[in-house]
Amino acid sequence: MGDTLTERSRQILEAIIEDYIKTAEPVGSRSVTRRHGLTLSPATVRNVMSDLEELGFLASPHTSAGRVPTDKAFRFYVDSLLQVRSIDEEQRDEIRRHYRGQGHDVGEILKETSRILSSISHYIGIVVAPRFTANVFRQIEFVKLCGSRILAILVSESGVVQNRIVESNEGIPSEDLVRMSNYLNNLLKGLTISEVKNRILQEMESDKVRYDELMSRALKLSELTLDEPDAEVFIEGQVNILEQPEFADVDKMKEIFRAFEEKGQLITLLDRCMDAERVNIFIGAENFLNRMNRLSVITAPYASGRNTLGVLGVIGPTRMGYDRVIPIVDYTARMLSELLGSG
Amino acid sequence: MGDTLTERSRQILEAIIEDYIKTAEPVGSRSVTRRHGLTLSPATVRNVMSDLEELGFLASPHTSAGRVPTDKAFRFYVDSLLQVRSIDEEQRDEIRRHYRGQGHDVGEILKETSRILSSISHYIGIVVAPRFTANVFRQIEFVKLCGSRILAILVSESGVVQNRIVESNEGIPSEDLVRMSNYLNNLLKGLTISEVKNRILQEMESDKVRYDELMSRALKLSELTLDEPDAEVFIEGQVNILEQPEFADVDKMKEIFRAFEEKGQLITLLDRCMDAERVNIFIGAENFLNRMNRLSVITAPYASGRNTLGVLGVIGPTRMGYDRVIPIVDYTARMLSELLGSG
DNA sequence: GTTAGCACTCTGAACCTTCGAGTGCTAACC
DNA sequence: GGTTAGCACTCGAAGGTTCAGAGTGCTAAC
């Protein structure tokens, strides 16, 4: 459908988009001829631009103010015009360098990743922590705290840890706790967490458990532990967006920051990219968060082995430098996979 | 020194401060007489205001624009004029309600706490996660991940968990890992984390360890695990600050958000309140973060038993409603202590 | 010591003008 | 028929002017 465009229209559209990405300002017919080596007069360009507006690729803020690419134009640009470069040597090294200094706490790594994404892209970096459900069970441990509190620690294959304090009304002796975790570790070894949940329900119904109090307690405890908290998101570099001229307005800024406070929506958006092969792009209003209708999101999943763990990405203005940012997101995702994966 | 003020000056100063807290605008002599039941003419008030300016309690943005309380005035207000109310029934219930719905993951609780602080105060809620060093060692566990990776999990008395992945060049069999953790758990039981560190160094020097490879490996592993990452801070409700009229200016907003990006500075500030008995207040420039010179911070430590774990607080504009926020911070700190403490 | 009166200052809003960039249309050109 | 020059027109941004309102400081009277 977009392919009804002639070669010349495409060139002009591309020129406009690139100009707009650079300047954040409506592009006029003259600047297109000037900045680009086109041997056309402004008048001709104007005609073409008028057609492009008709087709929904351009919009004019008001009659005398040049034109601005629409979401549709950016979509077309990303799909058909954009040549994704491979990542800059320099940027690659920078990413590497950031990771090198890192300790090995998983949470820290994720946070650092969002920092990397933000500082190299100059936009907002975002990382959704691995969902437990997508993971393979490795081990469960119970630690007795004071009184009747028990700390349950759940470890997945990739080293993600989830811990919570559970209250058990009766005190359970430490030896029993050890036995309980042995029992569970045996029972659940190698299952994915979602399988684990079913398995626990099954097991609770079985006769051998129904009459063994220790086992049934163990199952109950593990059930409590598994009940997953909201996914964690690391967002870094929100200030960067304030540098963008199109948000130099108090109300728009508020709007954006409010959107970021509701992390739930963000998570839903990013979750949808879990199954994507590689890089995924949402342009402007495509992301369905109407508060973010001037922002675009570039995401990529990260994995451990063949197991997708989570999603990371960059949020920037719709007019961001896609050619520059896409490889950054892609490469960072691969690095993170490597770090968390079965190296 | 501030006590050279006459009773009347104090009343007027208080009126001005309260007016300014309400309106965020310079206060003129007429509004003082009008809003307050003072039986004085504006002219008299003007004289007093002039004196107060001389003393450094008031400042005038320009000749014809009323006066604004200085940091010094707010300090005086908080120290001498303010009657801290006890917490609102309603707010107390609201805090309780928030906690009730909560799971028991420690991280989640802390995050929810900062959310509570923010949503009830309408300012910014902030919670510094417990530093490990301030904690009592409870248990260490090693979990074998794929390859040569080992996940080390460190648990403190209060249920705070720290985990990190350590790389050991030689594969260690699981049984050995269990033995190692038994050895360490025994060795380190009941010590605070800072004592633990010394103990490990001592032990590494001792003869019995020097020739036992298992033990010495165990110690090395534990050393790696203990090396503490940066303290974690939970900040919530940054948008609230944008509602404040005095920050309805793009540059000031940027300034503030930048200050929040550098969490290190915030942590240093809050760390200084660890030893405070109860509520602590930094007004305006007193917080030494010059980027935050129009903000005030109200903090309170939270504890488990007699052991101070961390600090939480509220950041708001210097003209915030101290009488309303102080009890909120205080009460929340006590609730959190209760939740984490040895109930 | 307190107050009324008054001249003075400063800001912010409203309004106007001007300038420049850009458009769309028409008519001429290749 | 596509391309271009020319021209009238539109709109917003920037700067200047005016005006009203709020507030001050001073002086003189109470």
Side-chain angles (χ1 to χ4, degrees), chain B residues 93-162:
Chain B
D93 294 347
E94 203 180 334
I95 295 176
R96 283 247 162 88
R97 211 174 321 123
H98 269 95
Y99 276 126
R100 201 161 300 140
Q102 258 323 89
H104 286 287
D105 181 298
V106 179
E108 275 303 306
I109 293 178
L110 297 177
K111 195 182 284 177
E112 182 66 18
T113 302
S114 69
R115 246 180 249 135
I116 293 174
L117 285 167
S118 135
S119 91
I120 300 192
S121 70
H122 303 302
Y123 299 129
I124 298 175
I126 178 163
V127 177
V128 183
R131 294 304 197 84
F132 235 78
T133 335
N135 252 282
V136 174
F137 175 91
R138 175 106 219 176
Q139 189 159 338
I140 193 168
E141 291 293 334
F142 299 111
V143 178
K144 213 180 158 187
L145 299 178
C146 24
S148 54
R149 283 156 193 244
I150 295 169
L151 178 74
I153 302 173
L154 192 61
V155 183
S156 85
E157 199 66 47
S158 50
V160 183
V161 176
Q162 176 171 316

Side-chain angles (χ1 to χ4, degrees), chain A residues 73 163 237 316 336:
Chain A
N163 67 84
L336 181 59

Side-chain angles (χ1 to χ4, degrees), chain A residues 236-290:
Chain A
E236 213 71 36
Q238 294 188 40
V239 198
N240 289 342
I241 218 69
L242 303 187
E243 304 298 340
Q244 302 303 325
E246 63 261 58
F247 301 110
D249 166 322
V250 184
D251 288 326
K252 278 176 206 142
M253 274 166 68
K254 277 193 202 169
E255 206 54 16
I256 290 180
F257 278 96
R258 272 211 205 88
F260 279 102
E261 292 243 315
E262 291 163 27
K263 294 184 182 164
Q265 298 206 320
L266 263 183
I267 293 174
T268 338
L269 175 67
L270 294 192
D271 268 3
R272 276 194 285 145
C273 312
M274 283 280 283
D275 307 318
E277 263 310 301
R278 289 284 277 281
V279 174
N280 217 325
I281 302 177
F282 296 93
I283 288 174
E286 289 176 7
N287 58 36
F288 297 114
L289 311 181
N290 45 12

Side-chain angles (χ1 to χ4, degrees), chain B residues 121-319:
Chain B
S121 70
H122 303 302
Y123 299 129
I124 298 175
I126 178 163
V127 177
V128 183
R131 294 304 197 84
F132 235 78
T133 335
N135 252 282
V136 174
F137 175 91
R138 175 106 219 176
Q139 189 159 338
I140 193 168
E141 291 293 334
F142 299 111
V143 178
K144 213 180 158 187
L145 299 178
C146 24
S148 54
R149 283 156 193 244
I150 295 169
L151 178 74
I153 302 173
L154 192 61
V155 183
S156 85
E157 199 66 47
S158 50
V160 183
V161 176
Q162 176 171 316
N163 67 84
R164 48 181 39 194
I165 297 173
V166 282
E167 206 83 42
S168 80
N169 23 19
E170 331 97 61
I172 303 177
S174 305
E175 313 88 71
D176 280 2
L177 285 179
V178 174
R179 258 185 274 155
M180 283 159 71
S181 59
N182 283 341
Y183 157 61
L184 289 170
N185 284 330
N186 231 344
L187 182 71
L188 307 173
K189 190 184 295 171
L191 303 178
T192 70
I193 302 295
S194 33
E195 287 166 353
V196 162
K197 286 180 186 166
N198 293 329
R199 189 54 178 276
I200 288 173
L201 292 179
Q202 260 174 42
E203 190 81 359
M204 276 174 128
E205 290 305 310
S206 81
D207 280 346
K208 91 168 175 271
V209 166
R210 202 169 297 170
Y211 302 106
D212 184 326
E213 211 193 334
L214 196 75
M215 288 190 192
S216 99
R217 264 197 202 158
L219 289 172
K220 265 184 217 140
L221 269 188
S222 64
E223 210 188 359
L224 285 175
T225 315
L226 281 166
D227 141 41
E228 182 165 34
D230 288 346
E232 208 173 350
V233 218
F234 299 93
I235 302 178
E236 212 72 36
Q238 295 189 39
V239 198
N240 288 341
I241 219 69
L242 303 186
E243 303 299 338
Q244 302 303 325
E246 62 261 60
F247 301 110
D249 167 323
V250 184
D251 289 326
K252 276 175 207 142
M253 275 167 66
K254 277 194 203 170
E255 205 56 15
I256 290 179
F257 279 97
R258 272 211 205 88
F260 279 102
E261 292 243 316
E262 291 162 27
K263 296 185 180 163
Q265 298 206 319
L266 263 182
I267 293 174
T268 338
L269 175 67
L270 294 190
D271 267 3
R272 276 193 285 145
C273 313
M274 283 279 283
D275 307 319
E277 262 311 301
R278 286 286 276 281
V279 174
N280 217 327
I281 302 177
F282 296 93
I283 288 174
E286 288 177 8
N287 58 36
F288 298 114
L289 312 181
N290 45 13
R291 281 193 168 150
M292 286 179 34
N293 57 13
R294 286 155 157 274
L295 299 178
S296 287
V297 190
I298 301 178
T299 70
Y302 61 91
S304 143
R306 25 180 171 36
N307 223 322
T308 302
L309 290 178
V311 179
L312 55 73
V314 165
I315 301 182
T318 297
R319 55 166 262 288

Side-chain angles (χ1 to χ4, degrees), chain A residues 61-245:
Chain A
H62 57 86
T63 61
S64 75
R67 286 184 171 90
V68 169
T70 60
D71 286 359
K72 184 177 173 190
F74 277 107
R75 167 53 61 196
F76 179 65
Y77 174 70
V78 165
D79 288 343
S80 313
L81 301 176
L82 187 66
Q83 316 250 32
V84 178
R85 324 182 217 158
S86 63
I87 191 166
D88 248 50
E89 290 273 320
E90 208 178 307
Q91 289 173 344
R92 200 192 54 200
D93 294 348
E94 204 180 333
I95 295 175
R96 283 249 161 86
R97 211 174 321 124
H98 270 94
Y99 275 127
R100 201 160 301 140
Q102 260 320 90
H104 287 288
D105 181 297
V106 179
E108 278 301 307
I109 292 178
L110 297 176
K111 196 183 284 177
E112 182 66 18
T113 302
S114 69
R115 247 180 248 134
I116 292 174
L117 285 167
S118 134
S119 91
I120 299 193
S121 70
H122 301 303
Y123 299 130
I124 299 175
I126 178 163
V127 177
V128 184
R131 295 304 198 83
F132 235 77
T133 334
N135 252 281
V136 175
F137 176 90
R138 174 105 219 176
Q139 190 158 338
I140 193 167
E141 292 291 333
F142 298 112
V143 177
K144 213 178 159 190
L145 300 178
C146 23
S148 55
R149 283 156 195 243
I150 295 169
L151 178 74
I153 302 174
L154 191 61
V155 183
S156 85
E157 201 65 47
S158 50
V160 184
V161 176
Q162 176 172 315
N163 67 84
R164 49 182 37 193
I165 297 173
V166 281
E167 207 83 42
S168 78
N169 23 21
E170 333 96 62
I172 302 177
S174 305
E175 314 86 70
D176 281 1
L177 284 179
V178 174
R179 258 185 275 155
M180 283 159 71
S181 59
N182 283 341
Y183 158 61
L184 289 170
N185 285 330
N186 233 342
L187 182 71
L188 307 173
K189 191 183 295 170
L191 302 178
T192 70
I193 303 296
S194 33
E195 287 166 353
V196 162
K197 286 179 186 165
N198 293 330
R199 189 54 179 276
I200 287 174
L201 293 179
Q202 258 174 42
E203 189 83 359
M204 277 174 128
E205 291 306 309
S206 81
D207 279 347
K208 91 169 175 270
V209 166
R210 204 169 294 169
Y211 302 108
D212 184 325
E213 210 193 334
L214 196 73
M215 287 189 192
S216 98
R217 264 197 203 159
L219 289 172
K220 264 184 218 139
L221 269 188
S222 65
E223 209 188 359
L224 285 175
T225 315
L226 280 167
D227 143 41
E228 182 165 35
D230 288 346
E232 207 173 352
V233 217
F234 300 93
I235 302 177
E236 213 71 36
Q238 294 188 40
V239 198
N240 289 342
I241 218 69
L242 303 187
E243 304 298 340
Q244 302 303 325

Side-chain angles (χ1 to χ4, degrees), chain B residues 8 40-41 44 46-47 62-64:
Chain B
R8 198 177 61 181
L40 290 172
S41 77
T44 317
R46 274 207 289 282
N47 289 330
H62 58 86
T63 61
S64 75

